Amino acid sequence: MFGLFAKKPTPEELVRSWKSGLNKQQRALDRQAASIRVEEKRVEQSIKQLAKKGQADECKLLAKELVRSRKQRERIATNKAQLNSITLELESQASMLKVAGTLQKSTRVMHAVNRLMSVPQLERTLMEMSKEMAKAGVIGEMTSDMMDAMDDEDIEDEAEEEVDRVLAEVTAGLLGAIKPVPAKPVAAPASAAAELSDAESELDLESMQARLSALRS
């Protein structure tokens, strides 16, 4: 934004700067959503392969990650809508500047900024922007109480029905029809190759979960 000792920006310059920052954040959210979707497709393919082998427990683990990731993409879409709402309001304010002469207070911008302050990726940018908007009279001063009153819905506790629904969707109903793979007889030890394959499979599951978790953060 604008430096402490820089020349005081005009309302037009402020609006341009804010719009540029908001557009940059929207593009960042687009990239995050796209990365999550790419990883989700890999997970969906793995679920299909595991379902054919009857590995229901592994399928369910990955399905839970899918549910969390889909909710995160829904949140990203909501956040983008809030950012767009601010941008549209700023454009409206810019068009009225020649008539009003100054920027006007906007409850719509206040509400959108308020909600977005709980988003880690946006918090730093919005904190600085909200201070500038408060000084310019577009919003009131942001308080800690306002910032703490955000929606803190927990996306970690997934309903069992939702996970089952995702499994049915991804496997086209196959998972519900399969039986768990029977355990091998104790007298028939697994070969070294089979043990290595099992270890690689477990690492793949952990790797997918880790990648999705990193993309959501």
Side-chain angles (χ1 to χ4, degrees):
M1 296 296 162
F2 297 97
L4 181 62
F5 300 107
K7 178 182 175 182
K8 185 177 179 180
T10 65
E12 291 85 355
E13 290 171 337
L14 282 172
V15 170
R16 283 198 297 271
S17 174
W18 296 335
K19 285 177 59 182
S20 175
L22 292 168
N23 289 335
K24 181 179 178 180
Q25 293 303 319
Q26 289 195 60
R27 290 193 294 271
L29 290 177
D30 280 336
R31 289 192 296 270
Q32 184 185 9
S35 297
I36 290 174
R37 186 64 191 118
V38 168
E39 195 62 35
E40 283 177 356
K41 287 182 178 179
R42 292 185 185 139
V43 172
E44 288 168 4
Q45 189 60 36
S46 295
I47 289 175
K48 291 175 184 177
Q49 294 171 354
L50 291 168
K52 290 177 182 177
K53 298 176 183 178
Q55 296 177 262
D57 289 343
E58 290 83 351
C59 286
K60 183 158 284 192
L61 281 174
L62 290 180
K64 286 181 179 179
E65 294 298 331
L66 272 184
V67 171
R68 292 174 183 142
S69 293
R70 289 179 178 185
K71 286 191 174 183
Q72 178 64 7
R73 283 197 292 115
E74 289 174 4
R75 285 193 168 197
I76 289 173
T78 299
N79 293 336
K80 274 197 63 185
Q82 296 284 356
L83 289 173
N84 190 54
S85 177
I86 297 174
T87 298
L88 290 175
E89 180 65 16
L90 289 176
E91 289 175 350
S92 175
Q93 293 249 7
S95 66
M96 293 294 294
L97 266 174
K98 291 182 180 180
V99 177
T102 59
L103 296 169
Q104 306 299 303
K105 182 167 290 188
S106 170
T107 55
R108 179 182 297 180
V109 171
M110 184 70 175
H111 177 73
V113 170
N114 218 14
R115 289 187 61 82
L116 288 168
M117 285 301 296
S118 64
V119 182
Q121 303 96 311
L122 304 176
E123 185 176 3
R124 178 177 295 181
T125 298
L126 288 171
M127 178 70 77
E128 189 173 350
M129 190 179 293
S130 67
K131 289 178 180 178
E132 291 178 355
M133 288 181 173
K135 288 180 181 178
V138 177
I139 65 175
E141 291 288 345
M142 297 288 288
T143 68
S144 58
D145 290 340
M146 289 178 180
M147 297 172 193
D148 292 339
M150 303 301 162
D151 178 14
D152 59 353
E153 175 190 1
D154 185 2
I155 63 171
E156 295 302 320
D157 297 325
E158 312 303 343
E160 197 73 15
E161 314 85 71
E162 191 168 3
V163 173
D164 290 340
R165 180 183 59 75
V166 168
L167 280 175
E169 170 201 323
V170 173
T171 65
L174 174 63
L175 194 61
I178 66 174
K179 304 294 182 184
V181 176
K184 293 182 179 180
V186 176
S191 66
E195 289 177 355
L196 179 59
S197 177
D198 289 343
E200 288 175 343
S201 176
E202 184 177 348
L203 285 174
D204 284 344
L205 289 173
E206 292 178 355
S207 176
M208 286 180 186
Q209 288 176 295
R211 288 199 299 269
L212 277 172
S213 179
L215 287 170
R216 291 195 302 268
S217 65

